[in-house]
């Protein structure tokens, strides 16, 4: 465990603020986990503490979107509870099983999502044809993606966005708002499990959480002002950047299996 100097705490808080800004618009989880690992935090404590500050960011963005009517909290509560369930089960698995398979397939999935959003025409803030009922969507995809969030995390927002746009027929802004609500649920579920295992550094998590809350307020307001014109390109950039970050690690299982 590294000694927490003022400069290190300042770096972590700055990373959390920027993460809150980006994640409130396009998701990703690209920033805080690598920064904490580089700072010397153990992997399990990094995942657990990251859930604390991520909870603040997701709550901040959800509140901002709900105030403007982009998500109805009472109507979406059952779906959020399914995300809580998925997140808690995933976190329980993360405490005992390494996520090598997820680390291997993640870059491929993220590049595919980036290509989809980059080339698909007519992606805007208007709702389109719904291919899955809300009940089926909430019973299947929500807990599955929430489970992934508990096990690993980065890219969860991108997966929720893809599901909302392609299957639920949501416009980009509405999908973003609902993504943050489900992120809030899966983070909360994972947080409960990590806390029970003592895998959370509370002072660090709460300090970063306060900064992420502020960053998410700024990001969500900007997203509501500009809409799909901002969300779509930023989502593509986040997906590609996260894929590159994962593949840049020589220990990534995909690189090891391919011998590159």
């Amino acid at each position: 465990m590294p000694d927490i100097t003022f400069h290190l705490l300042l770096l972590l808080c700055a990373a959390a603020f920027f993460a809150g800004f980006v994640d409130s618009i396009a998701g990703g989880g690209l920033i805080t986990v690598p920064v904490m690992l580089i700072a010397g935090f153990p992997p399990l404590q990094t995942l657990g503490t990251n859930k604390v500050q991520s909870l603040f960011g997701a709550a901040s963005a959800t509140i901002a979107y709900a105030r403007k009517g982009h998500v109805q909290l009472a109507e979406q509560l059952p779906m959020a509870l399914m995300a809580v369930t998925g997140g808690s089960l995933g976190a329980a698995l993360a405490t005992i099983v390494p996520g090598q398979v997820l680390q291997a397939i993640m870059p491929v999935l993220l590049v595919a999502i980036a290509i989809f959003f980059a080339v698909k025409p007519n992606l805007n803030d208007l709702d389109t044809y719904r291919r899955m009922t809300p009940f089926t969507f909430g019973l299947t995809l929500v807990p599955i993606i929430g489970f992934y969030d508990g096990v690993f995390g980065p890219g969860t927002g991108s997966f929720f966005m893809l599901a909302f746009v392609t299957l639920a027929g949501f416009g980009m802004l509405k999908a973003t708002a609902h993504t943050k609500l489900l992120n809030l649920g899966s983070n909360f579920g994972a947080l409960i499990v990590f806390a029970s295992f003592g895998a959370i550094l509370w002072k660090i998590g709460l300090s970063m959480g306060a900064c992420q809350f502020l960053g998410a307020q700024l990001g969500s307001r900007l997203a509501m002002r500009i809409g799909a014109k901002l969300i779509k390109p930023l989502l593509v950039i986040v997906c590609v950047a996260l894929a590159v970050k994962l593949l840049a690690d020589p220990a990534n299982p995909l690189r090891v299996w391919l011998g590159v």
Side-chain angles (χ1 to χ4, degrees), residues 92-119:
L93 182 63
T95 61
I96 56 175
V97 178
Q100 289 187 331
V101 174
L102 290 172
Q103 293 176 27
I105 65 175
M106 269 296 298
V108 178
L109 293 176
L110 287 167
V111 169
I113 292 173
I115 293 173
F116 171 83
F117 281 103
V119 304

Side-chain angles (χ1 to χ4, degrees), residues 18-235:
F18 185 59
F21 175 82
V22 174
D23 289 356
S24 67
I25 302 172
L30 172 67
I31 300 162
T32 51
V33 169
V35 169
M36 293 180 71
L37 290 173
I38 292 171
F41 293 97
L44 186 59
Q45 281 69 27
T46 293
L47 290 177
T49 306
N50 185 61
K51 291 305 178 188
V52 178
Q53 58 98 27
S54 295
L55 189 73
F56 276 78
S60 175
T62 299
I63 292 169
Y65 289 125
R67 282 178 174 173
K68 296 297 184 179
H70 295 295
V71 58
Q72 303 299 323
L73 297 181
E75 294 179 9
Q76 300 301 324
L77 181 59
M79 198 176 292
L81 291 176
M82 293 303 295
V84 172
T85 302
S88 60
L89 293 175
L93 182 63
T95 61
I96 56 175
V97 178
Q100 289 187 331
V101 174
L102 290 172
Q103 293 176 27
I105 65 175
M106 269 296 298
V108 178
L109 293 176
L110 287 167
V111 169
I113 292 173
I115 293 173
F116 171 83
F117 281 103
V119 304
K120 183 173 176 58
N122 303 321
L123 278 179
N124 50 46
D125 295 323
L126 300 177
D127 290 352
T128 58
Y129 176 72
R130 186 174 64 196
R131 295 176 174 83
M132 185 178 287
T133 65
F135 178 80
T136 305
F137 187 90
L139 198 63
T140 56
L141 288 176
V142 171
I144 289 172
I145 299 175
F147 179 84
Y148 163 78
D149 191 21
V151 175
F152 193 54
T156 300
S158 302
F159 294 140
F160 274 133
M161 284 286 294
L162 179 65
F164 275 125
V165 170
T166 58
L167 298 176
F170 286 8
M172 293 291 287
L173 181 57
K174 186 177 179 181
T176 301
H178 284 71
T179 288
K180 299 321 298 178
L181 173 62
L182 298 189
N183 271 151
L184 176 62
S186 59
N187 282 329
F188 182 72
L191 177 64
I192 294 173
V193 175
F194 283 125
S196 68
F197 279 85
I200 295 176
L201 307 173
W202 287 102
K203 291 182 180 179
I204 300 298
L206 292 174
S207 298
M208 294 177 69
C211 295
Q212 178 142 171
F213 186 95
L214 296 175
Q217 283 289 306
L218 179 62
S220 56
R221 292 179 183 183
L222 191 61
M224 287 185 285
R225 184 179 306 168
I226 302 177
K229 292 180 180 180
L230 171 66
I231 298 170
K232 178 180 176 178
L234 189 56
L235 181 62

